[in-house]
Amino acid sequence: MPAAAAIKVMVVDDQTSMRAMIRRALQDLGFKDVRDKPGAQEALSAIKSDRVHLVISDFNMPEMDGLQFLEAVRNDPVIGKTVFIMLTGSADKEIVQKAAALGVNNYVVKPFAPAALKEKIERVFGELT
Protein backbone atom coordinates (compact mmCIF):
# COMPACT_ATOMS: atom_id res chain seq x y z
CA MET A 1 0.00 0.00 0.00
CA PRO A 2 1.87 3.04 -1.23
CA ALA A 3 1.82 6.34 0.53
CA ALA A 4 0.32 9.07 -1.60
CA ALA A 5 3.64 10.94 -1.36
CA ALA A 6 5.36 8.14 -3.31
CA ILE A 7 2.92 8.23 -6.25
CA LYS A 8 3.80 10.46 -9.24
CA VAL A 9 0.71 11.94 -10.86
CA MET A 10 0.04 13.62 -14.21
CA VAL A 11 -3.17 15.68 -14.38
CA VAL A 12 -4.40 16.43 -17.91
CA ASP A 13 -7.20 18.92 -18.49
CA ASP A 14 -7.57 21.78 -20.94
CA GLN A 15 -9.10 24.01 -18.23
CA THR A 16 -6.54 25.72 -16.00
CA SER A 17 -9.01 26.06 -13.12
CA MET A 18 -9.84 22.34 -13.19
CA ARG A 19 -6.13 21.37 -13.20
CA ALA A 20 -5.61 23.64 -10.19
CA MET A 21 -8.60 22.15 -8.35
CA ILE A 22 -7.44 18.56 -8.97
CA ARG A 23 -3.86 19.47 -7.97
CA ARG A 24 -5.12 21.01 -4.70
CA ALA A 25 -7.29 17.97 -3.94
CA LEU A 26 -4.35 15.62 -4.57
CA GLN A 27 -1.99 17.71 -2.44
CA ASP A 28 -4.55 17.69 0.39
CA LEU A 29 -4.54 13.87 0.13
CA GLY A 30 -0.77 13.84 0.59
CA PHE A 31 0.45 13.65 -3.01
CA LYS A 32 3.76 15.50 -3.44
CA ASP A 33 4.68 14.93 -7.11
CA VAL A 34 1.75 16.31 -9.12
CA ARG A 35 2.45 17.50 -12.66
CA ASP A 36 -0.08 18.82 -15.13
CA LYS A 37 -0.49 19.52 -18.82
CA PRO A 38 -3.29 21.27 -20.73
CA GLY A 39 -3.40 18.65 -23.50
CA ALA A 40 -3.07 14.93 -24.04
CA GLN A 41 -0.34 15.21 -26.69
CA GLU A 42 1.96 17.18 -24.36
CA ALA A 43 1.15 14.85 -21.46
CA LEU A 44 1.93 11.79 -23.57
CA SER A 45 5.37 13.15 -24.46
CA ALA A 46 6.03 14.12 -20.84
CA ILE A 47 5.10 10.73 -19.35
CA LYS A 48 7.10 8.86 -21.99
CA SER A 49 10.24 10.76 -20.98
CA ASP A 50 9.53 10.91 -17.23
CA ARG A 51 7.14 8.18 -16.17
CA VAL A 52 4.35 8.62 -13.65
CA HIS A 53 2.29 6.07 -11.68
CA LEU A 54 -1.10 7.70 -12.21
CA VAL A 55 -2.72 9.72 -14.99
CA ILE A 56 -5.90 11.66 -14.22
CA SER A 57 -7.30 12.90 -17.51
CA ASP A 58 -10.29 14.88 -18.65
CA PHE A 59 -12.34 13.28 -21.41
CA ASN A 60 -13.40 16.36 -23.36
CA MET A 61 -10.25 18.07 -24.73
CA PRO A 62 -9.36 19.57 -28.11
CA GLU A 63 -6.99 17.79 -30.52
CA MET A 64 -6.87 14.47 -28.63
CA ASP A 65 -9.75 13.51 -26.32
CA GLY A 66 -9.40 11.39 -23.19
CA LEU A 67 -10.30 8.14 -24.96
CA GLN A 68 -7.66 8.71 -27.66
CA PHE A 69 -5.15 9.58 -24.94
CA LEU A 70 -6.05 6.43 -22.97
CA GLU A 71 -5.67 4.34 -26.12
CA ALA A 72 -2.25 5.90 -26.87
CA VAL A 73 -1.08 5.15 -23.32
CA ARG A 74 -2.37 1.56 -23.39
CA ASN A 75 -0.74 0.89 -26.79
CA ASP A 76 2.69 2.06 -25.63
CA PRO A 77 4.95 -0.80 -24.48
CA VAL A 78 6.70 1.35 -21.85
CA ILE A 79 3.83 3.29 -20.25
CA GLY A 80 0.97 0.93 -21.15
CA LYS A 81 0.36 -0.25 -17.58
CA THR A 82 0.17 3.25 -16.07
CA VAL A 83 -2.91 3.68 -13.89
CA PHE A 84 -5.41 5.85 -15.76
CA ILE A 85 -8.42 7.56 -14.21
CA MET A 86 -10.80 9.41 -16.53
CA LEU A 87 -12.51 12.59 -15.32
CA THR A 88 -15.48 13.85 -17.23
CA GLY A 89 -18.49 16.09 -17.00
CA SER A 90 -20.50 13.39 -18.75
CA ALA A 91 -21.74 10.08 -17.39
CA ASP A 92 -22.53 8.98 -20.97
CA LYS A 93 -22.72 5.18 -20.92
CA GLU A 94 -21.08 4.88 -24.34
CA ILE A 95 -18.01 6.84 -23.21
CA VAL A 96 -17.80 4.80 -19.98
CA GLN A 97 -18.03 1.54 -21.96
CA LYS A 98 -15.39 2.64 -24.48
CA ALA A 99 -13.07 3.72 -21.65
CA ALA A 100 -13.60 0.36 -19.92
CA ALA A 101 -12.89 -1.50 -23.16
CA LEU A 102 -9.64 0.46 -23.54
CA GLY A 103 -8.58 -0.44 -20.01
CA VAL A 104 -9.36 2.62 -17.90
CA ASN A 105 -8.72 1.88 -14.22
CA ASN A 106 -11.48 4.11 -12.90
CA TYR A 107 -13.87 6.90 -13.75
CA VAL A 108 -14.81 10.12 -11.92
CA VAL A 109 -17.72 12.34 -12.95
CA LYS A 110 -17.32 16.13 -12.57
CA PRO A 111 -18.08 17.95 -10.42
CA PHE A 112 -16.40 15.67 -7.93
CA ALA A 113 -15.66 15.78 -4.21
CA PRO A 114 -12.03 15.18 -3.15
CA ALA A 115 -13.29 12.19 -1.12
CA ALA A 116 -14.68 10.62 -4.31
CA LEU A 117 -11.35 11.09 -6.09
CA LYS A 118 -9.52 9.57 -3.10
CA GLU A 119 -11.86 6.57 -3.14
CA LYS A 120 -11.31 5.99 -6.89
CA ILE A 121 -7.51 6.19 -6.44
CA GLU A 122 -7.62 3.83 -3.45
CA ARG A 123 -9.61 1.27 -5.45
CA VAL A 124 -6.57 0.95 -7.67
CA PHE A 125 -3.60 1.55 -5.34
CA GLY A 126 -5.05 0.41 -2.02
CA GLU A 127 -5.31 2.63 1.02
CA LEU A 128 -3.28 5.82 0.78
CA THR A 129 -1.33 5.74 4.03
Side-chain angles (χ1 to χ4, degrees), residues 106-123:
N106 225 318
Y107 208 89
V108 180
V109 178
K110 294 183 208 172
F112 67 93
L117 182 60
K118 178 180 190 250
E119 189 254 332
K120 301 288 184 174
I121 294 168
E122 286 185 334
R123 280 199 187 166

Side-chain angles (χ1 to χ4, degrees), residues 37-72:
K37 295 288 180 198
Q41 206 66 59
E42 297 145 280
L44 195 56
S45 300
I47 61 177
K48 281 182 179 182
S49 63
D50 188 7
R51 294 182 57 194
V52 297
H53 304 105
L54 169 63
V55 172
I56 299 176
S57 175
D58 186 21
F59 163 70
N60 192 9
M61 297 182 289
E63 294 166 39
M64 179 187 267
D65 70 25
L67 289 175
Q68 293 165 321
F69 180 34
L70 172 60
E71 188 170 19

Side-chain angles (χ1 to χ4, degrees), residues 2-110:
I7 301 171
K8 293 184 198 171
V9 186
M10 173 64 74
V11 176
V12 187
D13 197 305
D14 56 318
Q15 292 182 333
T16 307
S17 59
M18 185 53 69
R19 286 196 314 275
M21 190 178 3
I22 297 165
R23 172 186 288 277
R24 205 168 314 113
L26 291 169
Q27 288 169 337
D28 288 348
L29 294 172
F31 289 86
K32 303 280 184 235
D33 190 342
V34 182
R35 307 131 191 232
D36 65 78
K37 295 288 180 198
Q41 206 66 59
E42 297 145 280
L44 195 56
S45 300
I47 61 177
K48 281 182 179 182
S49 63
D50 188 7
R51 294 182 57 194
V52 297
H53 304 105
L54 169 63
V55 172
I56 299 176
S57 175
D58 186 21
F59 163 70
N60 192 9
M61 297 182 289
E63 294 166 39
M64 179 187 267
D65 70 25
L67 289 175
Q68 293 165 321
F69 180 34
L70 172 60
E71 188 170 19
V73 169
R74 289 293 178 252
N75 288 334
D76 187 285
V78 176
I79 60 170
K81 300 253 186 268
T82 305
V83 174
F84 199 109
I85 294 178
M86 185 84 66
L87 260 176
T88 182
S90 162
D92 184 322
K93 269 200 169 96
E94 192 177 318
I95 294 168
V96 175
Q97 289 169 338
K98 282 180 182 172
L102 290 169
V104 76
N105 295 92
N106 225 318
Y107 208 89
V108 180
V109 178
K110 294 183 208 172

